[in-house]
Amino acid sequence: MLAPAIAGLLLGGSLIIAIGAQNAFILRQGLLRQHVFILCLICALSDAVLIGLGVAGLGAIISGSELLIAVVTLGGAAFLACYAVLALKRAIAPTALTAAKSGPSSLRSAVLTCLAFTFLNPHVYLDTVLLVGGLSGRYEGTGRLAFAIGAMSASFLWFFGLGYGARVLEPLFARPSAWRVLDGLIALVMAALSVSLVHRFMTG
């Protein structure tokens, strides 16, 4: 049980610890200290559900449907492109952390954005459902369960660590210039992900 669990933990960690739309959103919310717990919980639980579905065999079904792949890919690309524009606008007119805190986003808005970043991003399905689910096939019975639990644990550790660990950087982000850099990077990441999804769809 221990070896498959560690393997799942390492795989899950290697896939999730990267600069992406979901991580950038959680980092920003952590810096603003807005709805951190619920957003981290949503991301971690969403990963857990998708990993569970992948291990249960859904990955093979999705990969075999060209329509599902097209819908997920193009829908995700459009959403990421829109968020890139919003991040670029924030980068052009940044505010300090104290100013940003004065107008917190609603919980409903934050939750909907978080869910969109999670389920409209094709990379999430590629990582959790297809890759983790596919690699879990190397194990049988309790070994497969341990592998899945290990991968799920990586998501919980990462998102809560990122969300609450962001507070260490709060003094830095008291300056508008720091927000300009962060939002500029977020805009670039979102735009690059959107373009890469469209390119993959057109050439794939």
Side-chain angles (χ1 to χ4, degrees), residues 2-200:
L2 183 59
I6 293 176
L9 179 67
L10 293 176
L11 175 63
S14 65
L15 293 174
I16 200 172
I17 302 175
I19 298 176
Q22 200 178 38
N23 287 339
F25 177 70
I26 293 298
L27 174 62
R28 196 172 201 282
Q29 293 300 119
L31 287 166
L32 295 173
R33 300 194 180 190
Q34 293 180 5
H35 319 302
V36 178
F37 179 81
I38 187 64
L39 296 178
C40 291
L41 185 62
I42 288 173
C43 289
L45 287 177
S46 297
D47 272 5
V49 170
L50 292 173
I51 289 171
L53 291 174
V55 172
L58 183 61
I61 297 176
I62 293 179
S63 62
S65 172
E66 293 185 3
L67 177 60
L68 282 176
I69 293 175
V71 170
V72 170
T73 300
L74 296 180
F79 173 76
L80 291 172
C82 291
Y83 199 85
V85 173
L86 294 177
L88 182 59
K89 289 182 178 179
R90 291 197 305 264
I92 293 173
T95 56
L97 181 59
T98 52
K101 279 186 175 181
S102 64
S105 62
S106 68
L107 176 60
R108 179 177 180 275
S109 174
V111 167
L112 289 176
T113 302
C114 185
L115 289 173
F117 275 132
T118 300
F119 293 105
L120 292 181
N121 182 6
H123 292 290
V124 172
Y125 299 97
L126 175 64
D127 291 346
T128 57
V129 179
L130 299 181
L131 187 54
V132 176
L135 292 178
S136 69
R138 297 180 298 174
Y139 304 96
E140 298 290 340
T142 56
R144 180 176 296 183
L145 176 62
F147 181 83
I149 292 175
M152 294 175 186
S153 299
S155 292
F156 279 89
L157 291 172
W158 171 251
F159 283 118
F160 279 96
L162 180 64
Y164 286 100
R167 297 180 180 185
V168 178
L169 301 175
E170 183 173 3
L172 173 65
F173 284 90
R175 297 177 294 177
S177 59
W179 282 102
R180 173 175 278 123
V181 172
L182 176 63
D183 283 321
L185 288 174
I186 290 175
L188 287 174
V189 169
M190 304 298 180
L193 287 173
S194 178
V195 171
S196 69
L197 289 176
V198 174
H199 179 265
R200 181 178 301 176

